Structure formats: C-alpha cells, structure tokens
Amino acid sequence: MIDLHTHTLFSDGVLLPSELVYRAKFKGYTAIALTDHVDYSNYEFNIPKIVEVARVLQENYDIKVLPGVEITYVPPKLIADIVEKCRKLGAKIIVVHGETVAETVPAETNHYALKAGIDILAHPGHITKEDVLLAKENNVCLEITTRKGHNVTNKEVATLAMQCGTNLVLNTDSHTPDDLMDLKKIEKTLLEAGLYLKYFETMQKNSQNIIDKK
Ligand SMILES: [Zn+2]
Ligand SMILES: [Zn+2]
C-alpha cells in the first residue's frame, strides 16, 4: 500500500516520524509520504528535519519514505511561491490542503494550487469541473480521502474525475496510528465514493507514478 498524505508531531499528528513509518511498514505499506502542515512560519524548520528522518527510516526499515509537505491556508496567490521554496529544501511530495467542506479554507485555494506545480490536491471539496480539467492538464492528482469530514465530497470528486479523465489517488491523511490504511477503510471509502474496488489498483498506480517522477 502507498499513502502519500500523513501527519506527524511536526504538525498536528500524534506520532514521531519513526513510529508512524514503522507502524505503516508493519501494516504492509510499501511507501509513505510524510506531509506535515506548513506555511511561511515553519517550512524552513520542518523540511530539512523530515528529509533527514525519511532518509534514515528508508535505509533501515525497508520502506520507501518520501519527505513532503501539506501547504495549508497559505494565501492562494502565494501558493506557487511557497511550492518553489519547499521543493528547493527537498520536499518531494507536495500536497495542498484543498477546499474541504469541513473547514473554511480560503476561496480559490484549489484553483491556485492546481497551477502551482504540486503533486496532489487534498480533499478538494466542491471542486469545479474547470478545476478538475485543470488538474488533468497540469498532471495533478486529486485526492480521495479516508478521513472523516473531508470524505463527504469523495463521490462528487470521483464522479467529476471519471468524467474528465483526471487521475485520483487514495490517501488517509493519517494523524493517529488508527488512521493508517487497511482493507476495511479502502473498501468503505471506495464504496461510498461510487468506485469499484478494483479502482484502488489504478489509484495506487497513480501514486506510484508520482513517486517514480521524483
Ligand atoms: Zn488537509
Ligand atoms: Zn492533512
């Protein structure tokens, strides 16, 4: 299993990177991205530390560990700027905290994120068809999430992505060990999103393609 959206103590997750990664490995993961929340206050602090721990864990625990970020509540017009800064510091997987209906994310975050050179737009909420097409054009994957609250628009996102031919990935947005991926969560999430279970393989291939590009 591949999961490209998780949180550690470096933002609002409850586990150290080492424990999260080892627990993921134990659950059968083959790859994980550590994507803690960042804005202009903490990206310079977080990224070098996540890059270092990802390297150590990958070498010792036989699991692919990708350093990443989830750019969160950055003013939409500045997303491209912070993406560039995060890449320079070594963030491999760049996720943006999209316009989930569970929170008041700044309007147009989805649109500006999709033009900013990111890898994944997380929980994009009531995303417009124009933006789903923009995701396809710019090779950005849209996220189907197992996370409660953010997951209420999964079906809407999946339906539009299918119509437009936009790639989807399945992520957990894990904050605690119980959030990590397992078959039960995968089945439930795909069923609720109106996707066939076999579509999980396609989403995992899309995740693998993101990794292969790095
Ligand atoms: Zn988020
Ligand atoms: Zn998240």
Side-chain angles (χ1 to χ4, degrees):
M1 291 180 286
I2 303 172
D3 186 357
L4 299 181
H5 181 174
T6 69
H7 298 278
T8 76
L9 280 177
F10 277 81
S11 61
D12 56 353
V14 301
L15 299 179
L16 277 166
S18 302
E19 185 170 358
L20 181 71
V21 168
Y22 192 76
R23 284 182 179 249
K25 165 78 187 166
F26 194 77
K27 273 204 148 183
Y29 277 45
T30 54
I32 187 169
L34 305 173
T35 57
D36 278 302
H37 297 288
V38 299
D39 67 4
Y40 281 101
S41 69
N42 67 339
Y43 76 95
E44 288 173 296
F45 172 81
N46 272 17
I47 297 170
K49 293 178 188 302
I50 293 292
V51 166
E52 171 67 5
V53 77
R55 183 186 63 75
V56 168
L57 296 171
Q58 180 169 294
E59 280 173 15
N60 288 278
Y61 286 158
D62 188 30
I63 173 174
K64 183 93 181 155
V65 185
L66 297 121
V69 290
E70 182 179 14
I71 294 168
T72 304
Y73 283 73
V74 166
K77 288 180 181 168
L78 295 176
I79 292 173
D81 175 67
I82 197 167
V83 166
E84 199 185 326
K85 290 178 161 79
C86 292
R87 290 260 188 235
K88 272 191 190 139
L89 285 171
K92 299 273 189 228
I93 304 296
I94 301 209
V95 177
V96 166
H97 184 86
E99 295 177 50
T100 171
V101 292
E103 294 166 15
T104 54
V105 178
E108 295 202 277
T109 290
N110 286 348
H111 188 68
Y112 280 92
L114 291 168
K115 297 194 291 182
I118 68 168
D119 298 298
I120 297 168
L121 180 61
H123 45 67
H126 298 305
I127 188 168
T128 63
K129 189 168 183 182
E130 287 70 28
D131 280 345
V132 175
L133 288 165
L134 184 62
K136 183 185 180 187
E137 193 183 316
N138 291 346
N139 218 7
V140 177
C141 289
L142 299 179
E143 183 185 80
I144 298 299
T145 181
T146 59
R147 190 156 182 82
K148 201 166 175 244
H150 294 331
N151 66 357
V152 299
T153 53
N154 276 347
K155 192 167 190 173
E156 199 177 320
V157 174
T159 305
L160 274 175
M162 289 298 161
Q163 279 173 19
C164 299
T166 305
N167 288 334
L168 293 172
V169 291
L170 181 71
N171 290 327
T172 64
D173 202 352
S174 286
H175 288 69
T176 70
D178 291 343
D179 294 336
L180 288 168
M181 206 179 277
D182 55 37
L183 191 59
K184 205 173 140 200
K185 281 198 192 77
I186 295 164
E187 284 177 352
K188 183 173 183 287
T189 306
L190 268 77
L191 184 73
E192 286 171 358
L195 295 167
Y196 290 113
L197 186 55
K198 68 177 185 201
Y199 197 72
F200 177 63
E201 285 168 36
T202 306
M203 291 197 281
Q204 291 277 280
K205 269 186 206 140
N206 293 339
S207 297
Q208 186 62 51
N209 285 342
I210 294 174
I211 297 171
D212 291 344
K213 279 190 297 178
K214 305 300 161 190

